[in-house]
Amino acid sequence: MQRYQILTQNEIEKIHETSLRILEEVGVVFSYAPAREILAKGGAKVDGQRVYFPPAMVEEALKKAPSSFKLHARDPQKDVVIDTKTTTYVGPYGSPYVIDLDKGRRESTLEDFINITKLEYMMDNIDVMSHIPCEPNDIPAEKRAAEMCYLTLKYSDKPLMGSVLGYENAKKNIEMAALVFGGVDVIKEKPVIISIPCTLTPLSYDDKMAGAIIAYAEYRQPQLINSLCIAGATTPATVAGTVALQNAEILAGIVLAQLVSEGTPIVYSASSSNAEMRYGTLSIGSPEDAVFSLVNGQLAKYYNLPCRISGALSDSKCCDTQAAYESAVTLTMAQMAGGNFILHAAGIIDGYATTSYEKMMIDDEIIGMLRRIDRGVTVNEDTLAFDVIKEVGPQGEFLSHEHTFMHFRSEFYQPVLSDRQNADQWEKNGALTAEQRANARWKKMLEEYVEPKLDKDIDAALIKLKDS
Amino acid sequence: MATLTDLCQSIVTGNVAQAKELTQALVDAGTAPLEIINDGLIAGMNIVGPRFKNGEMFVPEVLMSAKAMAVGMEIVKPLLSDTDMPSKGTIVLGTVKGDLHDIGKNLVGMMLEGSGFKVVDLGIDIAPEKFVEAIKEHNPQIVAMSALLTTTMPAMKDTIDLIKEEGLKVKCIVGGAPVSQGFADEIGADGYAPDAASAAELCTKLVG
Ligand code: B1M
């Protein structure tokens, strides 16, 4: 639920109008010819690779995308509704490195991919599997998309994300997911795989991403049309200017998806942040990142679309205090902003380049705390507890009262990692820091992991399709 | 009266209009072009470099200083013969095949120009053959490659291999977030730089 509005409605409208002007007067480059053809047929003006969008065409497309859809899981109990009110938390995405307390930072491998996939599955706070929780660098690049999709389906029965590396990879991932749910015809009315095609900022889409948008739309599978701008580098240094440009990029992608298939589910997805001008690098643990989240949340609501915001973000190079405070601030703001699909909600450090095993656990705790905050307060006769207060009276105690017994579990969040014992107990139990406890916790989770059942024939068919 | 100190100062503050005006004034007053370059324009950049390194100046400020210097250079250049023109050398730069990330590469390019190199920026998604073609055309001392994806890092090796196969005499350097000194050594590159400022230092060392 959106709890924080940083701009007025009038300011949001000004951003929207500027985005429309950018789309109409500056245009967006689509290098992928099939995308240009679709857009031209839909009413856009095409000049070379550059596509110019009349405002009416954009407004029309925006009306067609639904504001709510259900993403189906292998285990129906884990189906997720993605709308403009609830919050879905998703794991880390895309990191080529991993780090843990035992082995330090290293290029991630298939083993790490499987481990973090299992952790995502084990963590109650993670609702959707993130497709690339880290890159399995030891798998040949051309086989990776299908391999990751298969392994995610095998090791988890939660809903999943899929590949965006071009039309063909996307199509194969969709067909693999469809296999589990009864075929491609069934999934057209029943979304089972969600993706994140990304703009090539500023103001362009490359072949792969435009191809992925078309593929997911053809099968009517949901997609997060995403823009990651770096304010001061790929876009203006001003928040307003960056948002106007970023919004134009996203709207262009939404138009393409809706032209391919009207009503195909979209998540408005923005993850812009600012450049660290000391080095010219991207900064994601910054207060500006949080400001962008708040604006993006409002824009998505303005369009009545579900909204993706990231995440538990940090620029720190390991799972330390900086990682924790940056993540707490950015994730809190993502939720306050009304984020409905929070990607990178756990594990990310190093400006998206590294996934930390321990930070998966730290962020699990932050998500738990935020979920509690989001639940808010129930006010009724029972919770106001006048009778109980009267009964206990002055100088009494509530700890042993039945009312406490009945309510404490639902009212209080039970930490999974934080230490709240007294100092003596803490010392007796080894005087472990949060990082050390996190290290123990992920190892325990991996030990306790049990693979969810997958029908033998489906498994065989999946392997066949994967290797085809 | 315009002085070389004023010109140097206008480079440090990144005042492009003033740098242009002062350079022209100095030329009109008969100051030797090489003196304008060395004691005005480059002297300014020599102050900017260390200030950037120790965190007093930020990237956009450095880039504006570089722009101010370039504007001055444009005025002085026609007054010098090619051989008198101080240039550290030519660098061919590009993001390797399959990779579209260009922010880091652009930054490297700007820093290299700022420190006195001529930079030929080929752009993104550059195949090994394209690098080779550009080397033949521009005769650079150095080829600088950028990659941001672990999946495109092998294209760096392919490019270096092809350059060697063609027997071209040029130093190859690599960089980008996932690239490391170890990887650079492994694929037979002549150098690796972790950031744009060190890339400029590395190139200066390699041509020196
Ligand atoms: C010798 O010459 C030299 C010397 C030094 C050199 C040098 C050359 N080149 C660089 N340096 C050095 O100097 C520079 C300045 O000091 C530094 O340059 P950098 O480039 O490191 O720093 C820049 C100044 C700022 N940094 C950046 O610009 C990169 C930031 C991150 C977040 C990033 C961005 C911004 C983008 N991305 Co991309 N992206 C990520 C990046 C994560 C990260 N933290 O690195 C990374 C690299 N991307 C990734 C991915 C997965 C992808 N990206 C993609 C797309 C994009 C955007 C278009 C959205 C955008 C690029 C915009 C643009 N115009 O360049 C896709 C691929 C596109 C493609 N084919 O290339 C896509 C596949 C994502 C998708 N689903 O769409 C991940 C890599 C995975 C892997 N296997 O390696 C990633 C780690 C993020 C993540 N967690 O997903 C140094 O490295």
Side-chain angles (χ1 to χ4, degrees):
Chain A
M1 197 162 86
Q2 193 171 35
R3 295 181 191 277
Y4 194 138
Q5 289 180 345
I6 200 167
L7 294 181
T8 63
Q9 195 64 10
N10 186 30
E11 287 165 336
I12 287 288
E13 271 159 26
K14 270 198 185 141
I15 291 172
H16 171 67
E17 279 156 21
T18 308
S19 303
L20 289 184
R21 258 191 87 192
I22 294 171
L23 286 168
E24 189 176 26
E25 296 175 27
V26 186
V28 176
V29 164
F30 280 83
S31 58
Y32 193 55
R36 291 198 301 273
E37 274 161 37
I38 294 165
L39 291 164
K41 238 193 246 158
K45 202 182 98 199
V46 177
D47 182 7
Q49 296 203 335
R50 200 122 150 197
V51 181
Y52 301 85
F53 297 75
M57 179 183 180
V58 180
E59 305 269 15
E60 207 46 46
L62 275 167
K63 279 187 220 141
K64 287 174 183 153
S67 54
S68 161
F69 60 90
K70 190 191 258 187
L71 187 62
H72 292 262
R74 236 171 16 91
D75 174 358
Q77 287 195 338
K78 295 176 185 161
D79 288 356
V80 168
V81 173
I82 295 170
D83 59 15
T84 58
K85 291 188 186 65
T86 51
T87 309
T88 291
Y89 291 92
V90 191
Y93 186 102
S95 318
Y97 288 93
V98 289
I99 188 170
D100 67 47
L101 278 186
D102 307 310
K103 289 193 262 174
R105 184 174 187 265
R106 58 197 188 267
E107 266 194 23
S108 46
T109 59
L110 180 63
E111 188 189 344
D112 296 307
F113 176 93
I114 293 172
N115 282 343
I116 298 178
T117 297
K118 287 178 179 173
L119 292 179
E120 285 187 312
Y121 170 69
M122 293 289 281
M123 290 160 69
D124 289 341
N125 280 323
I126 295 296
D127 305 306
V128 177
M129 308 296 293
S130 60
H131 180 61
I132 323 175
C134 66
E135 283 274 349
N137 284 301
D138 46 349
I139 297 283
E142 65 284 359
K143 294 201 169 136
R144 244 179 249 174
E147 201 64 47
M148 291 190 294
C149 184
Y150 169 68
L151 293 171
T152 307
L153 284 164
K154 174 179 157 72
Y155 287 111
S156 160
D157 55 13
K158 293 180 180 179
L160 75 162
M161 296 182 75
S163 174
V164 288
L165 294 184
Y167 182 84
E168 291 304 327
N169 272 323
K171 191 167 169 248
K172 191 158 173 181
N173 267 209
I174 296 166
E175 284 171 356
M176 286 175 71
L179 234 172
V180 179
F181 290 87
V184 286
D185 292 330
V186 176
I187 65 163
K188 285 206 169 137
E189 298 312 317
K190 186 180 168 185
V192 297
I193 185 167
I194 185 165
S195 64
I196 177 167
C198 197
T199 70
L200 179 59
T201 175
L203 295 173
S204 58
Y205 279 85
D206 73 58
D207 292 13
K208 289 192 170 127
M209 297 303 153
I213 291 178
I214 295 172
Y216 280 87
E218 279 176 356
Y219 290 92
R220 293 180 75 79
Q221 297 305 295
Q223 41 188 318
L224 301 95
I225 305 267
N226 182 64
S227 164
L228 190 173
C229 301
I230 306 181
T234 72
T235 54
T238 46
V239 172
T242 287
V243 170
L245 191 157
Q246 165 196 271
N247 188 41
E249 292 181 357
I250 297 169
L251 296 183
I254 294 178
V255 172
L256 175 60
Q258 294 306 318
L259 284 174
V260 173
S261 177
E262 228 175 77
T264 197
I266 300 290
V267 176
Y268 183 94
S269 177
S271 50
S272 295
S273 198
N274 59 304
E276 166 47 61
M277 288 306 187
R278 173 100 198 258
Y279 314 106
T281 48
L282 168 73
S283 166
I284 62 173
S286 63
E288 292 76 20
D289 183 280
V291 169
F292 281 117
S293 296
L294 293 169
V295 179
N296 300 336
Q298 275 187 272
L299 273 167
K301 297 289 173 285
Y302 176 71
Y303 298 129
N304 204 16
L305 288 174
C307 171
R308 171 256 170 152
I309 295 179
S310 285
L313 307 181
S314 176
D315 299 311
S316 186
K317 304 300 170 289
C318 61
C319 182
D320 62 355
T321 310
Q322 180 187 341
Y325 66 69
E326 289 179 341
S327 299
V329 170
T330 50
L331 195 59
T332 304
M333 284 304 151
Q335 181 186 277
M336 299 273 259
N340 308 112
F341 189 102
I342 304 196
L343 186 62
H344 298 297
I348 286 290
I349 54 168
D350 188 16
Y352 294 125
T354 305
T355 297
S356 153
Y357 278 73
E358 282 78 26
K359 193 164 169 290
M360 292 290 288
M361 300 296 108
I362 308 262
D363 294 334
D364 191 22
E365 184 83 304
I366 304 175
I367 302 172
M369 293 167 81
L370 288 175
R371 285 211 140 121
R372 167 63 192 95
I373 295 169
D374 207 32
R375 258 194 0 254
V377 182
T378 312
V379 181
N380 60 33
E381 215 163 297
D382 181 32
T383 60
L384 283 167
F386 177 81
D387 290 342
V388 182
I389 294 166
K390 194 174 164 193
E391 184 195 325
V392 173
Q395 300 196 333
E397 55 85 13
F398 292 86
L399 193 60
S400 61
H401 200 283
E402 195 193 352
H403 187 268
T404 304
F405 174 80
M406 297 297 292
H407 286 284
F408 81 96
R409 275 187 184 266
S410 56
E411 289 276 318
F412 303 163
Y413 167 67
Q414 197 52 49
V416 291
L417 191 70
S418 298
D419 177 77
R420 292 174 172 180
Q421 4 171 38
N422 69 33
D424 276 350
Q425 286 167 329
W426 175 70
E427 247 168 55
K428 231 185 264 161
N429 288 329
L432 299 177
T433 63
E435 292 92 321
Q436 290 167 325
R437 292 194 299 276
N439 179 270
R441 184 164 181 253
W442 68 255
K443 286 179 185 161
K444 184 155 177 274
M445 266 190 188
L446 288 187
E447 266 167 36
E448 290 170 357
Y449 170 84
V450 181
E451 198 175 305
K453 275 213 164 57
L454 178 63
D455 181 273
K456 258 205 202 117
D457 296 340
I458 291 184
D459 191 17
L462 272 176
I463 292 173
K464 200 170 150 212
L465 180 54
K466 161 179 81 89
D467 294 332
S468 68
Chain B
M1 248 274 296
T3 67
L4 288 165
T5 319
D6 293 340
L7 178 59
C8 171
Q9 196 51 34
S10 72
I11 302 302
V12 175
T13 54
N15 190 331
V16 178
Q18 198 182 47
K20 186 173 177 185
E21 212 173 277
L22 290 174
T23 308
Q24 193 59 56
L26 285 164
V27 168
D28 294 346
T31 313
L34 263 181
E35 210 174 317
I36 297 178
I37 292 176
N38 290 327
D39 301 339
L41 302 171
I42 290 186
M45 284 313 283
N46 285 343
I47 296 174
V48 169
R51 284 197 185 170
F52 174 60
K53 249 200 133 164
N54 67 26
E56 280 169 72
M57 285 180 77
F58 292 83
V59 172
E61 292 160 348
V62 176
L63 297 180
M64 208 47 87
S65 293
K67 211 180 261 181
M69 180 190 78
V71 165
M73 283 291 191
E74 281 308 306
I75 297 172
V76 193
K77 227 192 243 167
L79 310 175
L80 286 169
S81 68
D82 273 359
T83 44
D84 286 346
M85 189 64 198
S87 163
K88 281 173 149 176
T90 303
I91 297 175
V92 161
L93 171 72
T95 300
V96 298
K97 188 171 180 197
D99 205 317
L100 307 173
H101 295 82
D102 68 354
I103 303 164
K105 175 207 49 112
N106 293 348
L107 203 56
V108 169
M110 292 180 221
M111 287 290 173
L112 291 174
E113 271 174 356
S115 68
F117 288 98
K118 182 180 168 222
V119 175
V120 181
D121 187 346
L122 303 178
I124 52 177
D125 194 10
I126 303 302
E129 300 73 32
K130 282 248 180 81
F131 273 108
V132 163
E133 231 171 75
I135 295 166
K136 288 181 180 160
E137 189 186 336
H138 300 285
N139 238 329
Q141 283 72 36
I142 297 172
V143 176
M145 287 170 263
S146 180
L148 263 283
L149 298 170
T150 50
T151 47
T152 56
M153 281 161 64
M156 290 179 148
K157 181 173 189 305
D158 298 345
T159 308
I160 292 178
D161 287 351
L162 188 65
I163 290 171
K164 286 192 180 146
E165 213 179 289
E166 297 264 337
L168 297 165
K169 288 257 164 313
V170 64
K171 298 236 159 79
C172 297
I173 65 166
V174 291
V179 179
S180 63
Q181 184 66 55
F183 176 77
D185 296 342
E186 199 183 300
I187 62 168
D190 299 292
Y192 155 77
D195 57 56
S198 354
E201 278 170 16
L202 172 67
C203 290
T204 307
K205 213 171 81 197
L206 284 175
V207 296

